[in-house]
Amino acid sequence: MANEVLVEEADLDDGVVMIFKDFGRRVRMAFDPRWLNESAALQLLCEDLPRLAGAMNVTHHADA
């Protein structure tokens, strides 16, 4: 079963490029576009949460 990843852009503190909160089947993630793009942020997220690799539906904040 796929997981939902809610993606947002945010102005994060210096040195913080991506943050996330894991709610089980739903993950909320924010990344700072000054430091990386969405693809890189999702790849970083999959390194932290390997269960998401190949099993996620991405939703953007404006879509939610």
Side-chain angles (χ1 to χ4, degrees):
M1 180 179 270
N3 299 281
E4 180 184 13
V5 178
L6 177 61
V7 176
E8 304 174 47
E9 290 185 10
D11 183 19
L12 302 175
D13 291 340
D14 289 342
V16 179
V17 297
M18 188 267 297
I19 58 173
F20 69 90
K21 178 72 176 175
D22 186 356
F23 297 99
R25 288 306 214 191
R26 185 172 197 188
V27 177
R28 187 172 179 191
M29 178 193 77
F31 71 97
D32 193 329
R34 295 176 300 169
W35 305 112
L36 73 167
N37 62 32
E38 182 177 322
S39 294
L42 288 169
Q43 183 176 5
L44 188 60
L45 180 66
C46 286
E47 290 178 15
D48 289 331
L49 299 175
R51 76 172 195 276
L52 297 178
M56 69 175 139
N57 294 322
V58 176
T59 304
H60 295 90
H61 181 66
D63 299 339

